[in-house]
């Protein structure tokens, strides 16, 4: 459901992430300068829009109860708001590759950060493995998790890397794409997932329901 957008509103910096509230009745948008925009029943808990950042924000994730959220920068710097507890960051570390996303573990109140080479940084969350030592065809652009059980990463070519007990339902790694994959999300019960391309193309796997896309029908059985 569409609760609103920033379309037509001048922004200081581009939007880099969208996160739904736990009940699905609202969402947050985050810009690369850390500005946060709320829609529907999503509450505003603060932003980094007025903070001088060392590196741009690249992602956002909500706390399990939706009463807080995290922003993550490309250097792994973490900005926590509301009831989202700060568990650590890589902001002071030298990274081989930039951080591109994060996911929260509701079992431990910890979180994972993922770099573009698939390196995983765990903060009070179990480590299930990484692709940090694997030669990837394309860089990792995001991750999603099944709390306490595992996580998945997605590359720009739609390649999927599953760790822990997170199931593999297929990938686009061998499929020619018109535009790169930029994000993924799970279907909730770890029975499927959906990828999104930079052109708005949508690719559904497992029991993930396909509701349409900007570019037309794109569904993988």
């Amino acid at each position: 459901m569409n609760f609103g957008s920033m379309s037509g509103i001048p922004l200081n910096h581009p939007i880099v992430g969208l996160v739904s509230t736990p009940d699905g009745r609202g969402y947050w948008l985050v810009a690369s300068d850390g500005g946060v925009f709320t829609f529907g029943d999503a509450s505003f808990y603060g932003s980094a829009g007025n903070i001088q950042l060392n590196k741009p924000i690249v992602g956002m994730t909500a706390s399990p109860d939706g009463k807080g959220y995290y922003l993550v920068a490309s250097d792994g710097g973490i900005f926590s708001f509301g009831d989202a507890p700060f568990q650590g960051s890589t902001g002071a570390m030298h990274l081989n590759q930039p951080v591109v996303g994060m996911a929260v573990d509701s079992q431990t109140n910890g979180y994972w950060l993922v770099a573009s080479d698939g390196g995983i940084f765990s903060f009070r969350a179990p480590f299930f493995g990484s692709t940090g030592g694997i030669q990837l065809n394309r860089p990792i652009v995001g991750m999603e998790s099944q709390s306490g059980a595992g996580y998945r990463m997605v590359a720009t070519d739609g390649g999927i890397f599953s760790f822990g007990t997170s199931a593999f339902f297929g990938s686009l790694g061998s499929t020619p794409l018109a535009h790169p994959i930029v994000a993924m999300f799970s279907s909730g019960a770890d029975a499927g997932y959906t990828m999104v391309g930079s052109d708005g193309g949508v690719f559904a796997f497992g029991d993930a329901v396909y509701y349409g896309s900007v570019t037309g029908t794109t569904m993988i059985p």
Side-chain angles (χ1 to χ4, degrees):
M1 183 177 293
N2 184 357
F3 296 102
S5 74
M6 299 301 292
S7 178
I9 299 175
L11 298 173
N12 293 326
H13 295 272
I15 299 296
V16 294
L18 181 152
V19 177
S20 174
T21 56
D23 62 9
R25 297 178 180 176
Y27 43 77
W28 298 273
L29 303 182
V30 63
S32 62
D33 65 348
V36 172
F37 308 92
T38 62
F39 299 90
D41 69 357
S43 297
F44 180 77
Y45 297 106
S47 76
N50 294 321
I51 300 174
Q52 183 65 42
L53 302 176
N54 293 325
K55 297 292 182 179
I57 298 298
V58 294
M60 177 183 194
T61 191
S63 60
D65 61 8
K67 296 181 180 179
Y69 43 73
Y70 299 95
L71 311 184
V72 60
S74 63
D75 62 355
I78 295 290
F79 303 87
S80 57
F81 300 91
D83 71 355
F86 177 79
Q87 307 288 7
S89 76
T90 62
M93 296 172 57
H94 172 74
L95 303 178
N96 293 327
Q97 298 294 331
V99 168
V100 294
M102 71 178 298
V104 169
D105 178 24
S106 64
Q107 301 297 310
T108 63
N109 278 328
Y111 43 77
W112 301 277
L113 309 184
V114 63
S116 63
D117 62 354
I120 291 286
F121 304 91
S122 299
F123 296 91
R124 201 181 172 185
F127 177 77
F128 295 105
S130 76
T131 64
I134 300 174
Q135 182 65 42
L136 300 177
N137 293 325
R138 293 289 186 272
I140 299 297
V141 290
M143 73 179 297
E144 60 89 23
S145 72
Q146 293 297 313
S147 287
Y151 40 75
R152 301 184 189 93
M153 308 174 204
V154 63
T156 59
D157 62 354
I160 293 288
F161 304 88
S162 298
F163 296 89
T165 60
S166 291
F168 176 78
F169 297 102
S171 77
L172 296 169
S174 60
T175 304
L177 299 175
H179 296 272
I181 297 298
V182 295
M184 76 175 297
F185 55 92
S186 70
S187 63
D190 197 28
Y193 42 77
T194 302
M195 302 181 211
V196 181
S198 64
D199 61 349
V202 173
F203 306 86
F205 296 83
D207 75 349
V209 180
Y210 175 77
Y211 294 106
S213 74
V214 175
T215 59
T217 301
T218 308
M219 184 172 181
I220 306 298

